[in-house]
Amino acid sequence: MSDEDEAERATLHRYLQEQREVMLFKLEGLDERQLRWPATPTGTSLLGLVKHLTWTELGYLGECLDRPLDHPWPWEADEAAQDSASDLDPEGALADLWVRADESSADIVDGYRRAWAHGDAAILSLPLSAAGHVPWWAEARRRPTLHTLLVHLLAETARHAGHADIIREGLDGSIGMRADSSNLPQLTQQQWAEHSDRLRAIADRARVTDGA
């Protein structure tokens, strides 16, 4: 493999790992209720996002590359839980977006980290040109390379990290990208409040103008 391909692999992997770690950073310091709390009308929660990304990683960097897990997943839903989920969501589309009462946050976090390890084994051993198969994509796109799968997974993870930013701020006011770098201006609470007031005033003026 060329040095250029190795550099590309390293770059994609580094950015993916950064977003993975952001997701777990957003869980720190919260209790079980907060982690599971449905923060949107469609039920999005922080722990649900992590569970969803776990299955996303296992799909794109596992099944889609013909690398399924060789052992049962420890926190897969049992038959009773699946029945309960099917009553809630007949199509099964939400099955990986919420956390059952018998699943602990430690289980979910451990599962996510194990999915990283399973995915990293593919990232570090296969060529970026390795062909995958994504049966739920459109026919013309169903044979992507590992490179494409990595870009897709990075975009998916970053998208949900953004969701997590907003949910966490709504839960307890915590902001920032990670513990050692907030990636935000260092303003006081009073300055943030004044900034929000200024934005509300701008929005209100726009509403008046729009209605005129």
Side-chain angles (χ1 to χ4, degrees), residues 15-209:
Y15 276 92
L16 174 61
Q17 186 60 33
E18 287 176 356
Q19 295 305 312
R20 288 166 165 172
E21 291 170 359
V22 167
M23 287 301 306
L24 294 189
F25 172 61
K26 291 300 168 179
L27 308 185
E28 292 181 7
L30 297 179
D31 60 32
E32 290 286 342
R33 181 178 182 273
Q34 291 172 311
L35 291 171
R36 299 161 188 270
W37 189 254
T40 70
T42 53
T44 305
S45 70
L46 288 175
L47 210 55
L49 287 174
V50 173
K51 185 175 181 180
H52 169 67
L53 283 171
T54 299
W55 290 115
T56 300
E57 291 228 10
L58 291 174
Y60 287 116
L61 298 182
E63 296 286 346
C64 293
L65 292 168
D66 196 25
R67 298 180 61 259
L69 291 171
D70 57 5
H71 51 79
W73 201 242
W75 44 274
E76 279 185 302
D78 58 26
E79 291 184 5
Q82 288 174 351
D83 289 342
S84 173
S86 65
D87 290 341
L88 170 69
D89 175 27
E91 299 302 318
L94 297 178
D96 68 347
L97 278 165
W98 63 286
V99 177
R100 305 192 319 267
D102 64 333
E103 293 175 323
S104 72
S105 58
D107 289 337
I108 300 300
V109 170
D110 179 64
Y112 191 33
R113 290 187 181 278
R114 290 177 62 185
W116 296 358
H118 188 73
D120 286 350
I123 295 170
L124 299 176
S125 65
L126 298 176
L128 291 178
S129 59
H133 178 245
V134 186
W136 55 88
W137 285 6
E139 181 66 36
R141 300 174 54 238
R142 283 184 185 171
R143 300 294 297 179
T145 62
L146 172 59
H147 184 278
T148 298
L149 291 174
L150 271 173
V151 171
H152 182 85
L153 180 60
L154 173 55
E156 179 89 353
T157 306
R159 175 173 180 257
H160 291 314
H163 294 154
D165 278 335
I166 295 169
I167 291 174
R168 180 63 191 260
E169 186 174 357
L171 286 172
D172 69 352
S174 294
I175 57 176
M177 185 168 62
R178 55 182 187 266
D180 62 348
S181 175
S182 74
N183 203 36
L184 289 167
Q186 297 301 305
L187 304 182
T188 65
Q189 287 188 335
Q190 179 62 31
Q191 288 173 317
W192 281 119
E194 292 171 354
H195 178 60
S196 292
D197 287 344
R198 183 163 53 251
L199 298 185
R200 291 188 188 96
I202 292 171
D204 282 339
R205 287 198 298 272
R207 181 180 62 183
V208 170
T209 302

